[in-house]
Amino acid sequence: MSSLPPCPKCQSQYVYQDANLFICPECGFEWTDADQQSASEQGITDANGNLLADGDTVTVIKDLKIKGSSSVVKVGTKVKNIRLLDADHSKDGHNIDCKIDGLGAMKLTSKYVKKT
Ligand SMILES: [Zn+2]
């Protein structure tokens, strides 16, 4: 019985294992078990170094301009129910996906928030 993980790149189920290496025949991606563990253990932390999790409530610690708009997320704004983005999806250092009352959906940078 095999319980190989799907390919982290293309989600292919046809991954095979060669010693410590996992290989995806569909996209050619190769990785090791250690790679996978470090990726999932590499947490996203707030300004104080506390580990953040999906669903946390955080407070913004500095005024943040919203790209392409004149709106500002004010310091002290509470942001509920954040969703963490993995490195592949976080562009420009934005690694938190959230919705802010009155402002809508946006992405934040974890170093400008603190867990409440
Ligand atoms: Zn693949």
Side-chain angles (χ1 to χ4, degrees):
M1 202 187 107
S2 108
S3 59
L4 294 177
C7 172
K9 279 248 161 105
C10 71
Q11 306 305 318
S12 167
Q13 303 293 319
Y14 301 107
V15 167
Y16 61 93
Q17 191 172 10
D18 184 6
N20 289 328
L21 202 63
F22 295 110
I23 300 160
C24 172
E26 298 204 43
C27 72
F29 188 60
E30 298 179 351
W31 72 103
T32 65
D33 214 10
D35 283 347
Q36 203 161 43
Q37 278 171 7
S38 68
S40 58
E41 279 168 14
Q42 187 181 45
I44 293 177
T45 53
D46 71 1
N48 297 326
N50 294 315
L51 210 59
L52 296 170
D54 284 349
D56 275 354
T57 299
V58 298
T59 305
V60 175
I61 58 162
K62 113 188 208 22
D63 284 354
L64 301 171
K65 280 212 181 85
I66 299 169
K67 236 190 215 167
S69 126
S70 57
S71 305
V72 172
V73 183
K74 290 271 188 214
V75 57
T77 301
K78 247 192 192 168
V79 185
K80 285 181 200 160
N81 201 15
I82 62 168
R83 201 168 65 84
L84 301 178
L85 300 171
D86 57 43
D88 287 346
H89 293 106
S90 60
K91 296 203 173 90
D92 317 330
H94 293 130
N95 47 14
I96 296 174
D97 203 11
C98 63
K99 219 173 195 179
I100 299 179
D101 290 343
L103 294 170
M106 68 185 61
K107 293 184 169 60
L108 296 174
T109 306
S110 59
K111 66 180 173 191
Y112 297 136
V113 301
K114 66 173 193 229
K115 199 168 169 169
T116 53

